[in-house]
Amino acid sequence: QAKPRGRFWTQALLVAMNALRALLVLSLVLSCTSLTLKIEAQSEECFSEEAAKGTSLTLQFQVTAGGLLDLDVHIKNPDKSAIKSWTTATEGKHTWQAEVDAKYDFCFSNRMARWTPKWVSFYITQGANPNLAKIEHIDPIERTIMELSEGLTELQEEQKYLRSVERVHRETIETTNVRMLYWSLFEVFVLLTMGFFQIYYLKRFLEVKSSV
């Protein structure tokens, strides 16, 4: 009975060690930042994300409300040179690798609008730090965990993006329905006004005829 017990505790210890290693790998694999903010007219909002050299970065954004649903978006290197730019864009996605250990800027500009604010939802995803988790230094289980984590993060990003698109479409449909309701009420008002005017005009016309 001593051997089975010893084997049981050895297996339990191995499972616990693998679980701890898995948690460590998951903590190093990916980080994701998501925000929704309002960009006032004639203004620009910028954010920074610190990344190590060789780290993969992804920016995905969706303008959800305001005006023509368009913004100017810029991704900048630490020296302020442009990595990627969009002009009057409603949505976009870009992935690149950090060239140096530094902070990278993401700017959303609504300077083209005179009065209309815009709302934008965006997600900044950062891959694994190559200095902490190298593929060739981990075992197959940890590699599988990293791949699953990356897949889950991409799925979460896609779900958030689809929710943003669905919200934009829902707001557009609701706005269209409200406008149609107002237009229908205006048509009813015009028809009633024309009907009362015709009745009044015919009544006056008959009164004049009878008096003659």
Side-chain angles (χ1 to χ4, degrees):
Q1 294 180 351
K3 288 184 178 180
R5 286 186 178 180
R7 186 176 303 171
F8 170 79
W9 288 112
T10 301
Q11 292 178 349
L13 181 61
L14 288 174
V15 171
M17 291 177 63
N18 286 330
L20 289 174
R21 292 169 69 184
L23 291 174
L24 178 61
V25 170
L26 284 175
S27 66
L28 299 176
V29 171
L30 293 171
S31 64
C32 181
T33 302
S34 62
L35 287 172
T36 299
L37 71 152
K38 179 182 179 181
I39 312 293
E40 296 290 348
Q42 298 290 316
S43 67
E44 182 179 78
E45 297 286 345
C46 293
F47 300 86
S48 296
E49 182 78 9
E50 190 168 0
K53 180 179 179 180
T55 301
S56 174
L57 293 166
T58 299
L59 170 68
Q60 184 172 0
F61 68 91
Q62 170 82 32
V63 183
T64 58
L68 298 176
L69 302 178
D70 57 341
L71 284 174
D72 294 338
V73 183
H74 308 282
I75 304 175
K76 299 179 181 179
N77 277 311
D79 60 0
K80 304 306 178 184
S81 62
I83 297 175
K84 176 70 175 178
S85 296
W86 292 266
T87 302
T88 59
T90 299
E91 60 184 19
K93 182 179 180 180
H94 184 65
T95 301
W96 77 102
Q97 282 191 338
E99 297 181 353
V100 294
D101 296 346
K103 291 183 178 180
Y104 293 81
D105 296 331
F106 310 85
C107 296
F108 301 91
S109 176
N110 193 27
R111 297 189 187 279
M112 82 290 285
R114 293 185 178 181
W115 303 285
T116 308
K118 312 283 177 61
W119 282 261
V120 59
S121 296
F122 65 95
Y123 315 100
I124 302 172
T125 305
Q126 185 173 159
N129 188 331
N131 299 321
L132 297 178
K134 294 184 180 295
I135 273 300
E136 63 269 17
H137 294 164
I138 59 179
D139 61 29
I141 295 178
E142 292 171 337
R143 187 180 299 113
T144 302
I145 292 172
M146 291 180 67
E147 292 173 354
L148 289 174
S149 179
E150 290 177 357
L152 287 173
T153 302
E154 292 178 359
L155 181 61
Q156 288 176 346
E157 289 179 5
E158 196 65 26
Q159 288 177 339
K160 292 175 182 177
Y161 171 74
L162 292 175
R163 281 198 295 266
S164 299
V165 172
E166 186 271 337
R167 183 169 62 251
V168 172
H169 292 172
R170 185 178 65 250
E171 290 175 354
T172 301
I173 292 172
E174 290 176 352
T175 302
T176 304
N177 289 337
V178 170
R179 291 177 179 176
M180 290 180 64
L181 175 62
Y182 288 158
W183 178 252
S184 299
L185 293 175
F186 176 73
E187 287 182 333
V188 171
F189 173 76
V190 171
L191 290 174
L192 290 175
T193 303
M194 291 179 63
F196 285 127
F197 175 77
Q198 289 176 350
I199 293 172
Y200 174 78
Y201 179 79
L202 288 173
K203 183 179 179 182
R204 294 283 297 175
F205 179 77
L206 294 174
E207 287 177 353
V208 171
K209 282 286 188 180
S210 60
S211 63
V212 172

